[in-house]
Amino acid sequence: MRTPLGRVRNLGSSHSGTTDFWRQRLTAVAMTLLIVPVIVIVLMLIGRNHAGAAQILGSIPIAIILVLFIIASAWHMKIGMQIIIEDYVHNETLKLVGVMANNFFCIAVALSSIYAILKLSSGV
């Protein structure tokens, strides 16, 4: 069912309205599964100096768990903020700038966090 104006402008369903919804649920499930190992890793790091932390993070499985958690968290954060910006910012220019800033911020956070984990896990 389309309105006459919608037919004239050829506006209709984009058939992709639930993609972000399902991606956000997927990242939420991934973070839920990874939170217990991440908490255990953080508890293992409490009270350690840099050498002790580097020794713990030098383990490949621990680095992989942390990197997966960072990726899932950053992706989840990006989707959530993008939905908020798209829903509540009504100025199109400001909306575009907000979405672009959100994308750059989430990528910067993810890359810097992954770099830190990989640097610590490599022992450099």
Side-chain angles (χ1 to χ4, degrees):
M1 296 181 63
R2 291 169 34 177
T3 64
L5 182 60
R7 271 185 255 130
V8 169
R9 290 184 177 169
N10 199 21
L11 298 174
S13 174
S14 66
H15 301 289
S16 64
T18 60
T19 303
D20 283 339
F21 174 84
W22 285 111
R23 284 183 181 159
Q24 193 169 30
R25 293 334 179 252
L26 177 70
T27 56
V29 169
M31 288 188 315
T32 302
L33 295 175
L34 290 169
I35 193 67
V36 173
V38 168
I39 290 173
V40 169
I41 292 168
V42 169
L43 290 175
M44 288 171 30
L45 293 173
I46 292 176
R48 304 265 181 169
N49 58 11
H50 184 271
Q55 181 182 9
I56 291 172
L57 295 175
S59 171
I60 298 291
I62 288 178
I64 290 172
I65 289 169
L66 291 175
V67 167
L68 289 174
F69 185 75
I70 289 166
I71 291 170
S73 300
W75 196 2
H76 189 80
M77 175 177 61
K78 179 213 164 283
I79 294 169
M81 282 306 301
Q82 181 174 334
I83 290 170
I84 290 170
I85 292 167
E86 289 172 349
D87 286 348
Y88 296 109
V89 176
H90 301 295
N91 182 339
E92 290 300 320
T93 304
L94 193 56
K95 185 184 297 188
L96 179 64
V97 169
V99 169
M100 288 174 56
N102 178 48
N103 288 339
F104 289 132
F105 177 76
C106 292
I107 290 169
V109 166
L111 289 178
S112 61
S113 300
I114 291 169
Y115 174 74
I117 294 298
L118 293 178
K119 186 166 177 143
L120 279 173
S121 68
S122 67
V124 176

